[in-house]
Amino acid sequence: MNEDDILEQQSEIPAEPTVTPESEKVARLEEEYAALQKKYALLQQRSIVEKICFESGCADPDYLEFSAAKHGVDLCNAEALRAFAREFSAVSPGCFHARITPGSSAGNVVKNDSSAAKAEENFTADRIGLIALSIDNAPDAVSR
């Protein structure tokens, strides 16, 4: 090897990168961008969880998210989360709002019921009858 070959090989070796204020700024901005991407992904995930909670009647989105993650459900997959919420409502119904049937007002009077007929006769004077009528016609809770 001659001197020219050695100089040529040395010139091919890349120099150590120099740290400039611009490169530091770019590195910091890349870190901030990565952090924002993570936050955005978490917000999308949270949005899906809250939507499924609203649809399924779950009272605690945090607990549903925790349980789904614990059972290995992909929180970004809405269909998988819906299926888990259905199964979870059967296992833990206390975490879900009670499903009731409509018709609890005194305006929905059943004519053949004796308490309803009595309350209808004394509509303005008999407040206790109206309360009894409301209780008699109250919806039943439906559990799933």
Side-chain angles (χ1 to χ4, degrees), residues 3-75:
E3 236 179 88
D4 291 333
D5 291 336
I6 294 173
L7 289 175
E8 190 175 312
Q9 286 178 353
Q10 287 178 349
S11 65
E12 291 177 6
I13 297 174
E16 289 188 29
T18 57
V19 178
T20 62
E22 290 82 19
S23 64
E24 288 177 356
K25 185 176 181 180
V26 168
R28 191 179 76 248
L29 288 174
E30 287 174 346
E31 289 174 6
E32 289 176 11
Y33 181 71
L36 288 173
Q37 283 181 321
K38 287 180 184 178
K39 282 183 181 180
Y40 179 70
L42 288 174
L43 285 173
Q44 281 183 322
Q45 175 181 314
R46 184 63 183 187
S47 174
I48 291 170
V49 169
E50 288 181 358
K51 179 181 175 186
I52 300 301
C53 279
F54 179 75
E55 291 173 359
S56 65
C58 182
D60 191 359
D62 294 327
Y63 189 65
L64 180 70
E65 184 177 7
F66 167 76
S67 296
K70 182 179 171 186
H71 287 87
V73 177
D74 181 15
L75 298 175

Side-chain angles (χ1 to χ4, degrees), residues 52-58 85-86 89 93 96-102 139-144:
I52 300 301
C53 279
F54 179 75
E55 291 173 359
S56 65
C58 182
R86 279 192 295 274
S89 68
F96 291 80
H97 297 292
R99 297 176 189 249
I100 57 173
T101 57
D140 296 326
V142 177
S143 64
R144 290 186 177 203

Side-chain angles (χ1 to χ4, degrees), residues 82-98:
R82 269 191 199 93
F84 178 78
R86 279 192 295 274
E87 293 171 11
F88 190 61
S89 68
V91 174
S92 184
C95 294
F96 291 80
H97 297 292

Side-chain angles (χ1 to χ4, degrees), residues 101-122:
T101 57
S104 64
S105 70
N108 296 337
V109 177
V110 179
K111 297 295 182 186
N112 59 2
D113 188 17
S114 62
S115 65
K118 186 188 290 185
E120 187 176 352
E121 292 172 5
N122 301 321

